[in-house]
């Protein structure tokens, strides 16, 4: 078996591996190095994370189990620093040496950072990966003034996200028009007006020459002498190919790693794909051409008759709520072009098509992009438009994209190169009936998601009378099945199902092994339903819960012991200090949840550290109660009205280790001054004269949400009763991975109040809660006493899949 090594674990590279596995799954022994400590994720949706529309778990494309199932050796958080092309081996920053027969370089790109004074100050970042997103989100918790340098696609998406985080945002742009490479002045002016209405402020024709501040940024100075204040600066002015790994290898580099039409570099058996590759003097930064490159490379490396990659025409869409925009091809007229234009300033609709010799050469659509698929096909296929109606009209008979008249080779999903014909064939041959199934089987809609309405229309047209609109739009557990959460719970109860694999087998999962989206969900629902007898399937949990530790960006782990209510003792502090010193822990930090976290711990050291600490796990990694934050309370504070520490400790001791659909955080404030931030917790308790106010469904993260008042109670016993009932009702009715804030918004606060107002219902919920709590044990005690668990999860030997 030939050895295939890939440097880079991003979208273009892993898509190439997917194509190789389709063509020749047994031909290669595959090893992948990823600089980031994550599996392959959808970089396109970083802006969605920043804008609060999704979370990291939801943008993972290929989870760790996928690597394991395909026998791929994955090294996360490890960077290849040298390629020895003579010996045909790569060497990582951890000293690991791996030989190869074929080598793919897929290192992607880095944000271009302006080479100006102050660019290295704290608070200056690019916008390229998860770390950049996390930095911006954390900055927004403390600071309020952001400046984005760059009025292009990425800059505007970053600016929208920062607005959603509650920051005031200035966008600095060198040119007189936004997105000048994709939009003409009219479309650009419409876009600017919409974004200004959303709250963005634009500083146009400004050239940044210095970033001000001492250690941290405080502002920017422009070439004209003017200045602007800033607590955070995001540079989104472009990308540059990441070619550092080939620096001394002899591989030819220009702007990127130069490749031919088969993605071959200047060195035999070495290939490059994605944003690190330069093809015919072009480095592509959009996903569609990178996936095209991956298909060509896969054919070539598997020994097939690969069709040469001739370059790509790309289309651009802006992922900002309230903005409907599409652009492709040429933007500006010259003496050889003619324009076809529709401009409705009142409704904010602008359509302009540039033609040359009866062929479309450029498209700009703003406000109404339903023509984009058809026009982009005409552009890329070089169709003669003589006598053809370019734009749809209300009476054209194709108001919702008449699927019947679409040719089979029309591109529906530009990101993944999926045509109408491919979607129709999958529906007909594989019996697909839902949008999720079509996306899972064809990849259509898996990237930016803009094509999903079109995919739904194709599904409806193909199925005809058999199409069930409600079923098609139903939210299934994942793409492995059409079954919804409610149906799954009912089937488990009705059929007496007791195991994850049994559920997938009896309920006829399309993918018999399931995936990392459905397996943890099934495991949770089984545990929630079978309170006493169910044995937790540890291998079906998400990776952090499987390891009982949070993985960090460099591949190390965190150890965070429980400190009930944020209260500790001198003896516990001493143990933590001794363990941190003994194991050379790089970072000891007070966390936001009033605990002490030890960060940078090696996987193999985890069991011994927990044994020496002899403290319960703080579950900083789990879908469970994370922490109960407290103020000092009436015992010490002159404003306090209640004993917040005592209540916090009682809450934490009762509900620790409880499995919940998502993480749960609590806060207890002894008075309305709210020092423990109880108003933005999943459950918050505020002391008042004569009792407590209980607030629910708060969220202090990206999607900031104040808690709603659930009720007022007089005693600590009533607090515990109401909290237990509320938590159990959430456990029984929420979707897996649904935060309490989203759950309450979905089911309605009034409904929750009505349910919990009934004394008998509260009693029954608490009885089920107490029955559930009896089964939980301290996870690290179990790991310390069980050598099989230690060997399987924490031993130093390398495990397939990067676990």
């Amino acid at each position: 078996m030939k050895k295939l090594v890939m440097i880079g674990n991003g979208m273009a590279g892993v898509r190439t591996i997917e194509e190789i596995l389709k063509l020749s799954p047994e031909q290669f022994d595959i090893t992948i190095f990823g600089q980031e400590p994550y599996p392959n994720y959808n970089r396109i949706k970083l802006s969605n994370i920043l804008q609060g529309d999704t979370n990291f778990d939801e943008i993972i494309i290929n989870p760790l189990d996928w690597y394991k199932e395909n026998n791929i050796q994955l090294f996360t958080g490890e960077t290849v620093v040298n390629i020895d092309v003579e010996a045909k081996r790569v060497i990582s920053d951890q000293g690991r040496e791996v030989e190869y027969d074929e080598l793919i370089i897929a290192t992607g790109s880095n944000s271009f950072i302006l080479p100006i004074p102050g660019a290295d100050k704290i608070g200056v970042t690019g916008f390229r990966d998860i770390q950049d997103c996390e930095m911006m989100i954390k900055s927004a918790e403390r600071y309020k003034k952001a400046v984005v340098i760059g009025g292009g696609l990425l800059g505007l998406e970053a600016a929208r996200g920062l607005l959603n985080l509650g920051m005031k945002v200035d966008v600095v742009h060198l040119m007189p028009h936004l997105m000048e490479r994709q939009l003409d002045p009219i479309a650009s002016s419409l876009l600017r007006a919409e974004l200004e209405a959303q709250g963005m402020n634009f500083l146009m024709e400004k050239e940044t020459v210095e970033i001000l501040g001492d250690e941290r940024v405080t502002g920017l100075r422009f070439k004209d002498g003017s200045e602007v204040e800033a607590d955070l600066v995001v540079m989104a002015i472009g990308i540059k190919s990441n070619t550092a790994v080939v620096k001394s290898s002899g591989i030819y580099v220009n702007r990127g790693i130069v490749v031919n039409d088969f993605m071959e570099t200047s060195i035999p058996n070495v290939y490059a794909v994605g944003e690190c590759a330069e093809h015919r003097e072009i480095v592509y930064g959009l996903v569609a051409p990178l996936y095209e490159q991956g298909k060509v490379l896969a054919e070539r490396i598997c020994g097939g008759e690969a069709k040469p990659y001739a370059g790509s025409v790309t289309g651009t869409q802006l992922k900002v709520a309230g903005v409907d925009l599409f652009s492709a091809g040429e933007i500006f007229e010259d003496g050889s072009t003619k324009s076809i234009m529709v401009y409705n300033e009142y409704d904010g609709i602008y359509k302009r098509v540039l033609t040359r010799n009866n062929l479309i050469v450029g498209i700009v659509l703003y406000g109404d992009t339903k023509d984009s698929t058809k026009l982009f096909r005409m552009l890329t296929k070089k169709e003669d438009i003589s006598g053809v109606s370019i734009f749809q009209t209300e009476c054209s008979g194709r108001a919702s994209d008449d699927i019947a008249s679409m040719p089979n080779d029309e591109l529906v999903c530009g990101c993944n190169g999926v045509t109408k014909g491919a979607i129709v064939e999958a529906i007909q041959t594989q019996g697909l009936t839902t949008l999720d199934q079509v996306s899972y089987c064809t990849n259509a809609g898996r990237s930016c998601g803009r094509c999903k309405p079109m995919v739904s229309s194709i599904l409806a047209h193909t199925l005809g009378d058999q199409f069930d609109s409600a079923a098609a739009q139903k939210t299934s557990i994942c793409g492995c099945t059409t079954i919804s959460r409610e149906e799954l719970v009912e089937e488990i109860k009705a059929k007496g199902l007791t195991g994850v694999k049994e559920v997938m087998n009896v309920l006829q999962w399309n993918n018999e092994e399931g995936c990392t989206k459905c397996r943890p969900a099934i495991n949770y629902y089984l545990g929630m339903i079978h309170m006493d007898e169910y044995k937790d399937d540890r291998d079906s949990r998400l990776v952090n819960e499987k390891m009982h530790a949070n993985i960090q960006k460099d591949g190390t782990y965190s150890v965070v012991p429980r400190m009930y209510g944020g209260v500790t003792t001198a003896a516990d502090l001493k143990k933590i200090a001794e363990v941190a010193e003994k194991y050379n822990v790089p970072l000891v930090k007070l966390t936001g949840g009033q605990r002490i976290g030890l960060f940078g711990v090696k996987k193999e050291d985890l069991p011994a550290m927990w044994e020496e600490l002899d403290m319960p796990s703080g579950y900083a990694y789990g879908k469970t109660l994370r922490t109960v934050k407290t103020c000092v309370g009436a015992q010490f504070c002159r404003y306090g009205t209640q004993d917040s520490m005592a209540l916090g400790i009682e809450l934490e001791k009762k509900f620790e280790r409880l499995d919940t659909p998502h993480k749960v955080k609590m806060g207890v404030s002894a008075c309305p001054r709210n020092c423990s931030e109880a108003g933005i917790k999943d459950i918050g308790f505020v002391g008042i004269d004569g009792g407590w106010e209980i607030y629910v469904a708060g969220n202090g993260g990206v999607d900031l949400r104040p808690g709603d008042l659930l009720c007022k109670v007089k005693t600590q016993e009533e607090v515990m009763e109401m909290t237990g009932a509320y938590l159990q009702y959430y456990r029984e009715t929420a979707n897996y991975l649904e935060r309490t804030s989203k759950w309450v918004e979905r089911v309605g606060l009034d409904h929750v109040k009505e349910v919990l107002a009934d004394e008998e219902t509260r009693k029954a919920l608490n009885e089920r809660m107490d029955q559930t709590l009896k089964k939980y044990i301290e996870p690290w005690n179990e790991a310390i006493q069980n050598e099989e668990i230690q060997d399987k999860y924490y031993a130093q030997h390398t495990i397939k899949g990067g676990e």
Side-chain angles (χ1 to χ4, degrees), residues 243-274:
T243 61
V245 70
V246 302
K247 190 172 183 181
S248 59
S249 66
I251 298 171
Y252 181 54
V253 175
N254 188 32
R255 287 176 55 222
I257 300 170
V258 176
V259 295
N260 62 16
D261 290 353
F262 299 101
M263 314 314 296
E264 297 167 322
T265 71
S266 59
I267 300 293
N269 305 106
V270 179
Y271 312 84
V273 66

Side-chain angles (χ1 to χ4, degrees), residues 582-637:
K582 177 177 178 179
Y583 290 94
N584 297 314
V585 174
L587 176 66
V588 180
K589 185 183 185 304
L590 294 175
T591 71
Q594 296 181 333
R595 292 180 293 197
I596 296 176
L598 310 179
F599 297 87
V601 178
K602 297 176 183 176
K603 180 173 67 175
E604 59 269 22
D605 288 339
L606 290 171
M609 286 184 66
W610 279 108
E611 184 173 14
E612 292 178 39
L613 283 169
D614 192 26
M615 297 172 70
S617 170
Y619 270 83
Y621 47 81
K623 302 294 180 281
T624 181
L625 175 63
R626 293 286 183 88
T627 181
V628 181
K629 191 172 184 178
T630 67
C631 64
V632 296
Q635 187 176 356
F636 293 98
C637 179

